[in-house]
């Protein structure tokens, strides 16, 4: 009846391979225009086929290059080399087609020397010397420690040239230097051979040493950004594509750094990449290739459409309610993946109700919805769900997970005789609940949280600073919770998977350096902002000017509350990280798989499966003033959300492009509440009123074996990884013979007692059971066979039969999954 829970792939635009025919293409040289700025400058030239603006394959065979002025530039093996200052045109011919590139050569009349900051550090990073497993490790290797991937050039220079009595460098005889004899294995080296004596890497290091090891200078040209060519390609399995990485520097010059960049593939089932940027397409789908150089990161997307034939009429006739459908269908058409048809009414009411309020529809609600013939009934259901009080319960619980409402870290026991809700934990939870109930825009809610001050019992948001007292923890939690990205790797060094530097990390954390806490005379604490105090960066021994990531610098001597500056940047409409993060969280709740997975891993090197859709959805949220209900309504109304979960033969391989709804196991709290709802026996939670649902609990530390077994998060750290939906034998055994189901099925006064006391006919019992648990009528066979078993049972046996019937429904995948 259901598919297994699905896993992930990736996606981007593509065109049918039939369009690769030569007569529909033109040749393009990449880069089309560039400058060679010194005698050592080289530029790899790619000959690419292009169709309708898309690159559809590299031409490597039968290509002839020529230069309009060989005294300026020549091309050898596809690489441009400068000869003299001036300009020239490079022409590449392949058959009867040709393409040109414009080249300028400058600086050949000036002396050249290798830069420690930009060249020596690059060589050592690419050779693996400054990576984590080698000398870039926290403790280094063999007494030799340099910064991870060269994030500290000044420190590395001192270590290489001055440490160990300077024996790593021999300026009078560079070939005797340990930095050359070790990596070439001329002397024993546990790291093995990293490069050869006749390599460019060896020449860079030896010539730098021979030039008397010039040190990094404050006025060195610095890297600004890197680009990768081609940025997006549409290929087929078996194709090969060389990538080119180009670095842009502060003085305006560019360098081809393809040789020294590091590469990884985000989806090796689609594309694999070698050490020098050569990509091989091995399967259908989409992948991304990440390139790192110095402190910069860039990605290229590669797409290999599925081979199956899909009638274009399927996409042309597919219903499109809003921009979500437009973007999803464009992606599916590009990948040759047909969409599944619309789900039926019982699937929709169950799905939408669970995803929006965390509850099952009642039997009466499910039956009435199925009987309703109004064309707008789905829209009316959506509006009713968004307005229900259970919506507040569900989304308060979601944000309590995100913001770590936890009685182990916040005081939750009132003084003797006091109101049990007059505690820090309750104040924090109540603050969240008030904002959900009031439909407070997300930016307003977050701004209030980040700038909270005052008594923690009076202003619940101030408890955010009780949970996170350290500026470093505050910075890391803020970025994960509200930007969907982790910067914690940059605490010790430049982030190895992102663009964030060690300096940026401490500049961000310094925005929280003046938050202070003092105990109040009674319960709780008082949060306020001091007018002085800074966080010292360990590397420099000095504070970094307080600066949000990619934001404007705040004067370090300003007495203003730095959190106001942070909040203004954080929640600004033009801050792409903020809107994208919450949009992705909402999307993942409804579609089961985030546009970026995991939802708190929205780094550049983990691209969205549909970047245009994520951008459009984030822009929609900004345009609607961060009204989350508006975004939810748009998702619920889309035909993308309303598709069947049943795969077609042609979209069964899709795991991430939303050709269908992906079934997902109910979260622990929703599952427990659903079991209670169907059996008519609420769960008793210690210390809380009878009848409270799991989704109404403010605290994640309430004792519940069921919730623990099914993956409830402990709210210890802000990370989606805390909640688990992975199956386990413990879960299987608990569903099979654990206390939760059996106790509720056997409890007095439950739904079975009601049926028996009312002498409900067997057919009606079966109908109500199926509608309550599965939101659908039983099939004729299910009704007939189950009703006959109930009718044949004696009075003494009937209760056991009904218990078994409900147990069978509640242990089925159809019940345990939303689909």
């Amino acid at each position: 009846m259901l598919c297994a829970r699905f896993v992930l792939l990736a996606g981007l635009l593509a065109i049918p391979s039939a369009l690769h025919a030569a007569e529909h293409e033109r040749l393009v040289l990449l880069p089309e225009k560039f400058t060679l700025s010194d005698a050592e400058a080289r530029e790899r030239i790619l000959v690419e086929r292009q169709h309708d603006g898309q690159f559809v394959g590299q031409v490597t065979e039968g290509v002839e290059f020529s230069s309009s002025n060989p005294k300026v530039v020549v091309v050898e093996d596809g690489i441009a080399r400068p000869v003299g200052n001036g300009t020239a045109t490079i022409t590449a011919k392949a058959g009867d087609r040709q393409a040109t590139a414009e080249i300028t050569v400058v600086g050949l009349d000036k002396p050249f020397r290798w830069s420690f900051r930009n060249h020596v550090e690059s060589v050592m990073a690419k050779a693996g010397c400054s990576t984590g497993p080698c000398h870039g490790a926290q403790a280094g290797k063999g007494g030799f420690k340099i910064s991870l991937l060269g994030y500290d050039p000044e420190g590395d220079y001192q270590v290489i040239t001055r440490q160990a009595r300077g024996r790593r460098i021999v300026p009078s005889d560079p070939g005797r230097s340990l930095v050359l004899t070790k990596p070439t294995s001329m002397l024993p080296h546990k790291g093995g051979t990293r490069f050869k004596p006749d390599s460019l890497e060896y020449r860079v290091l030896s010539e730098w040493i021979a030039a008397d090891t010039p040190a990094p200078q404050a006025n060195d040209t610095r890297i600004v950004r890197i680009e990768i060519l081609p940025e997006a390609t549409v290929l087929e399995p078996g194709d090969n594509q060389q990538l080119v990485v180009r670095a842009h520097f502060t003085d305006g010059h560019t360098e081809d750094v393809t040789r020294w960049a590091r590469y990884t593939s985000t989806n090796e089932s689609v594309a694999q990449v070698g050490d020098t940027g050569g990509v091989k397409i091995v399967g259908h789908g989409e992948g991304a290739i990440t390139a790192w150089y110095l402190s910069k990161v860039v990605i290229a997307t590669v797409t290999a459409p599925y081979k199956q034939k899909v009638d274009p009429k399927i996409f042309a006739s597919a219903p499109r309610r809003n921009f979500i459908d437009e973007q999803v269908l464009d992606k599916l058409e590009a990948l040759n993946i047909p969409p599944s048809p619309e789900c039926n009414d019982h699937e929709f009411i169950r799905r939408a109700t669970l995803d929006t309020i965390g509850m099952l529809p009642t039997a009466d609600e499910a039956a009435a919805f199925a009987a309703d013939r109004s064309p707008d009934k789905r829209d009316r259901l959506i509006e009713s769900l968004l307005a229900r009080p259970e919506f507040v319960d569900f989304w308060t619980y979601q944000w309590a997970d995100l913001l770590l409402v936890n009685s182990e870290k916040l005081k939750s026991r009132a003084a003797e005789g006091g109101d049990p809700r007059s505690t820090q934990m309750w104040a924090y939870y109540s603050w969240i609940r008030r904002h959900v109930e009031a439909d407070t825009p997300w930016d307003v809610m977050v701004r209030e949280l980040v700038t909270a001050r005052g008594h923690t019992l009076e202003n619940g948001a101030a408890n955010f600073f009780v949970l996170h007292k350290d500026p470093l923890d505050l910075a890391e939690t803020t970025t994960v919770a509200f930007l969907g990205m982790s910067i914690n790797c940059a605490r010790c060094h430049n982030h190895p998977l992102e663009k964030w530097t060690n300096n940026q990390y401490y500049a961000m954390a310094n925005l929280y350096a003046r938050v202070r806490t003092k105990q109040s005379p009674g319960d709780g604490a008082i949060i306020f902002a001091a007018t002085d105090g800074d966080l010292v960066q360990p590397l420099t021994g000095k504070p970094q000017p307080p600066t949000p990531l990619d934001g404007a610098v705040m004067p370090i001597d300003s007495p203003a509350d730095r959190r106001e500056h942070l909040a203004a940047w954080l929640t600004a409409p033009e801050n792409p990280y903020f809107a994208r993060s919450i949009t992705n969280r909402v999307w993942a709740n409804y579609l089961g798989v985030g546009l970026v997975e995991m939802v708190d891993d929205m780094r550049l090197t983990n691209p969205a499966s549909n970047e245009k859709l994520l951008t459009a959805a984030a822009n929609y949220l900004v345009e609607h003033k961060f009204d989350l209900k508006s975004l939810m309504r748009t998702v619920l109304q889309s035909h993308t959300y309303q598709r069947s979960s049943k795969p077609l033969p042609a979209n069964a391989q899709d795991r991430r492009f939303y050709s269908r709804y992906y079934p997902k196991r109910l979260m622990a709290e929703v599952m427990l509440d659903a079991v209670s709802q169907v059996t008519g026996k609420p769960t008793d939670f210690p210390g809380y009123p009878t009848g409270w649902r799991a989704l109404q609990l403010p605290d994640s530390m309430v004792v519940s074996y069921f919730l623990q077994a099914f993956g409830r998060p402990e709210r210890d750290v802000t990370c989606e990884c805390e909640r688990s939906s992975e199956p386990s034998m413990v879960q299987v055994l608990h569903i099979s013979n654990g206390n939760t189901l059996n106790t509720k099925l056997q409890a007095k006064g439950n739904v079975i007692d009601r049926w028996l006391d009312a002498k409900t006919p067997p057919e009606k019992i079966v109908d109500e059971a199926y509608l309550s648990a599965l939101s659908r009528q039983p099939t004729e066979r299910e009704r007939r066979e189950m009703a006959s078993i109930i009718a044949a049972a004696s009075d003494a046996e009937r209760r056991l039969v009904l218990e078994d019937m409900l147990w069978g429904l509640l242990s089925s995948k159809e019940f345990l999954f939303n689909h």
Side-chain angles (χ1 to χ4, degrees), residues 503 506-507 510 533-538 540-546 556 562:
N503 286 342
Y506 280 94
N510 205 15
D534 283 295
L535 178 68
V536 174
Q537 181 185 8
T540 64
K542 300 177 181 179
Q544 285 290 321
I556 198 167
R562 294 174 175 180

Side-chain angles (χ1 to χ4, degrees), residues 271-351:
Q272 299 174 353
V273 63
D275 288 342
T276 57
V279 178
K280 182 175 180 59
I281 307 302
V282 296
H284 296 288
E286 180 184 272
I289 305 300
T290 302
W292 286 267
Y293 178 72
L294 295 179
S295 61
K296 304 301 179 183
V297 185
V298 70
I299 63 170
T301 54
V302 290
T303 304
Y306 291 88
K307 283 293 188 181
Q308 59 211 12
K309 301 296 183 182
V310 181
D311 189 340
K313 293 180 181 178
I314 291 177
F315 299 105
S317 62
R320 302 167 188 250
R321 176 70 184 268
N322 51 41
F323 70 89
I324 292 174
D325 297 323
E326 295 286 350
Q327 297 294 345
V328 170
L329 287 169
D330 285 351
K331 172 70 72 177
L332 295 177
E333 185 172 13
L335 289 167
N336 294 337
I337 302 174
S340 288
E342 186 177 77
C343 66
N344 59 38
D345 284 342
H346 77 76
E347 290 171 330
F348 180 75
I349 187 173
R350 188 177 192 271
R351 177 190 302 174

Side-chain angles (χ1 to χ4, degrees), residues 146 169 433 446 516 582 648:
I146 52 179
I169 298 295
R433 186 177 182 87
V446 172
R516 301 287 187 270
I582 189 60
L648 302 173

Side-chain angles (χ1 to χ4, degrees), residues 192-466:
T193 301
R194 309 314 299 174
F195 50 79
K196 297 180 179 180
D198 60 352
S199 66
L200 177 60
E201 287 74 17
Y202 187 97
R203 188 161 70 85
V204 170
L205 295 182
S206 63
E207 291 181 2
W208 168 72
I209 296 170
D212 202 22
T213 63
Q217 301 295 321
N219 62 352
D220 284 345
T221 182
R222 308 294 181 98
I223 190 167
V224 176
R225 65 181 178 91
I226 60 175
E227 64 174 326
I228 192 167
L229 303 173
E231 188 176 8
T233 53
V234 180
L235 304 168
E236 297 180 354
D239 285 351
N240 292 284
Q241 173 67 57
Q242 176 65 49
L243 299 176
V244 167
V245 179
R246 308 180 75 236
H248 295 252
F249 292 86
T250 51
D251 63 359
H253 90 277
T254 61
E255 293 182 21
D256 181 343
V257 295
T258 307
R259 183 187 185 102
W260 294 326
R262 295 173 298 114
Y263 305 90
T264 59
S265 172
T266 63
N267 188 350
E268 292 201 344
S269 66
V270 175
Q272 299 174 353
V273 63
D275 288 342
T276 57
V279 178
K280 182 175 180 59
I281 307 302
V282 296
H284 296 288
E286 180 184 272
I289 305 300
T290 302
W292 286 267
Y293 178 72
L294 295 179
S295 61
K296 304 301 179 183
V297 185
V298 70
I299 63 170
T301 54
V302 290
T303 304
Y306 291 88
K307 283 293 188 181
Q308 59 211 12
K309 301 296 183 182
V310 181
D311 189 340
K313 293 180 181 178
I314 291 177
F315 299 105
S317 62
R320 302 167 188 250
R321 176 70 184 268
N322 51 41
F323 70 89
I324 292 174
D325 297 323
E326 295 286 350
Q327 297 294 345
V328 170
L329 287 169
D330 285 351
K331 172 70 72 177
L332 295 177
E333 185 172 13
L335 289 167
N336 294 337
I337 302 174
S340 288
E342 186 177 77
C343 66
N344 59 38
D345 284 342
H346 77 76
E347 290 171 330
F348 180 75
I349 187 173
R350 188 177 192 271
R351 177 190 302 174
T353 306
L354 284 169
D355 282 343
T356 305
I357 65 173
M359 291 181 64
L360 290 170
T362 65
D364 288 343
E365 288 169 343
F369 187 77
D372 190 347
R373 295 293 177 263
S374 304
D376 65 341
K377 68 177 183 178
R378 294 195 179 191
D379 281 356
R380 287 189 287 108
L381 172 67
I382 291 167
E383 294 305 321
S384 69
L385 291 174
L386 294 173
R388 282 177 60 163
E390 293 89 352
F391 175 92
V392 178
D393 296 333
F394 181 64
W395 287 97
T396 299
Y397 198 94
Q398 298 273 41
W399 304 143
D401 274 354
L402 182 68
L403 300 178
L404 307 182
V405 179
N406 180 331
S407 63
E408 284 195 347
K409 296 186 176 182
L410 294 173
K411 187 174 180 181
S412 61
R413 184 172 298 177
E416 186 174 351
D419 184 349
R421 298 197 182 191
S422 298
T423 64
Q424 289 178 314
M425 187 270 288
W426 271 106
Y428 196 25
Y429 173 83
S430 298
W431 175 83
I432 298 171
R433 186 177 182 87
R434 283 197 304 273
H435 279 301
V436 175
E437 197 167 23
D439 294 333
T440 301
W442 183 247
D443 60 330
V444 175
M445 182 175 171
V446 172
R447 177 187 286 269
E448 185 176 319
L449 181 77
V450 171
T451 61
R453 57 178 62 84
H455 201 289
T456 55
L457 298 184
E458 298 172 1
N459 180 7
N463 288 288
F464 181 70
F465 298 97
V466 176

